[in-house]
Each structure stands twice: as structure tokens, then as C-alpha cells.
Amino acid sequence: MDQNSIQLRVVINIAKTAKGAWTATESTPDEGSNGVVASSVTFEGSTLKIAFDQIRATYEGTLTEGKTAFKGTMTQGSPLPLDLERATEESSWRRDRTSHTIQFITVEDNVKLEVVDWGGSGRPLILLAGGNNHAHGFDKFAPKLTGTYRVYGIQCSASDLGELCR
């Protein structure tokens, strides 16, 4: 990965309703997104197509032979490869089980800081997420410091990532 690329986790929940229709919700937990509901979902043969009109994005993928993933492309402006894999206990973004609180602080139009507070006692220790990383990258490390410090992690989150968070 080059220095200018940004790596975000994307979660797409796909489900079938009781009436047999498909639904999908897209969220980006690193940006604090609560989810965008798909405007249309079709699954025909082995091809999955999802449209998210609210964020002007589409996804098209093909079910793999083992039926555990879709290999495809997410287009939101420029097309980007995006393979969707069935979440496991290890791969799920929910695997963060550290004790912490999260707060979003607006610092400018469309720019927020995500502040992760792992607690602790003593002088404040701030872990800054840089190099296109996120504050949750410290989830396994930060709790080890709470015996000596009050530990915070900070990352920037912007709706137009451009140069706003660099």
C-alpha cells in the first residue's frame, strides 16, 4: 500500500426478507457510519448487484465457488476492487472487545475527530493514528497502558477525505 492510500473497513450486511426480497446496508465503522440502506439489491445466478443511491455508490460481485465470498467492484466515483467475505469471529469488525468509549468531536465542516477513551488513571497519554491508520489500531495495545495513564486514541474522520485529515 502506498503512502497516499487510505484503508477503511467496509461492512455490507446482506439479508433476505421474509417475503424473499434482498436488502443490504453499508457502513464504514472507521468513519462512525451507522449504515446506508441500499436502494436496490439483486442476486441472480451468482451475480450480486447493490445500489446505494444515498452515497452514489454501486457494488457488483460474483459469488465464489466455495460460496463464502463475492469478488467484485465498488464504484463511488472511481471503481475499486472490493471482495466481500462472510464475517467470522476473527474477521468481524465487532471483534474489538476492549473496554472503551467513543466520542466524535466536530472541528470543522465535514471534519470530525474520533476520540477513543480506554480509561485508566494518571497523566493523559494520547495515541495519534497517522499514516492512514485508525485509532482502533491501538485496541490491543492501549489497555496495557491504563494502569499508569489515562489513555486516549485520536483519528480524523472527514466526509471528503481529500487533504482535510492529513
Side-chain angles (χ1 to χ4, degrees):
M1 177 164 73
D2 76 36
Q3 261 186 324
N4 296 321
S5 66
I6 295 174
Q7 197 171 41
L8 295 174
R9 296 176 290 176
V10 176
V11 177
I12 299 181
N13 288 313
I14 304 167
K16 201 171 196 179
T17 67
K19 294 182 178 183
W22 290 98
T23 63
T25 305
E26 182 272 351
S27 60
T28 49
D30 299 321
E31 294 183 326
S33 166
N34 291 330
V36 175
V37 177
S39 45
S40 68
V41 180
T42 60
F43 184 42
E44 296 176 4
S46 61
T47 302
L48 174 68
K49 294 181 182 180
I50 308 172
F52 299 97
D53 290 348
Q54 183 181 349
I55 57 172
R56 295 186 203 117
T58 60
Y59 176 81
E60 184 169 343
T62 304
L63 188 62
T64 61
E65 212 172 290
K67 298 185 179 182
T68 60
F70 288 93
K71 291 201 165 291
T73 303
M74 178 77 121
T75 303
Q76 189 177 22
S78 301
L80 295 170
L82 179 63
D83 296 340
L84 303 177
E85 298 177 357
R86 182 179 301 272
T88 63
E89 182 64 26
E90 181 57 32
S91 69
S92 173
W93 65 272
R94 293 184 181 107
R95 73 178 179 267
D96 169 18
R97 291 182 176 55
T98 61
S99 177
H100 64 270
T101 60
I102 298 173
Q103 187 175 17
F104 289 91
I105 300 169
T106 301
V107 294
E108 190 174 313
D109 285 346
N110 300 321
V111 180
K112 299 181 284 186
L113 293 180
E114 179 180 4
V115 179
V116 181
D117 180 354
W118 286 277
S121 58
R123 294 179 28 206
L125 175 64
I126 299 174
L127 305 172
L128 296 175
N132 301 323
N133 292 309
H134 49 85
H136 291 282
F138 300 114
D139 281 337
K140 292 182 180 177
F141 176 69
K144 296 176 182 179
L145 302 169
T146 59
T148 308
Y149 302 99
R150 177 69 183 255
V151 184
Y152 300 94
I154 299 177
Q155 79 183 53
C156 180
S157 176
S159 58
D160 176 14
L161 289 175
E163 293 298 316
L164 294 174
C165 291
R166 296 174 197 220

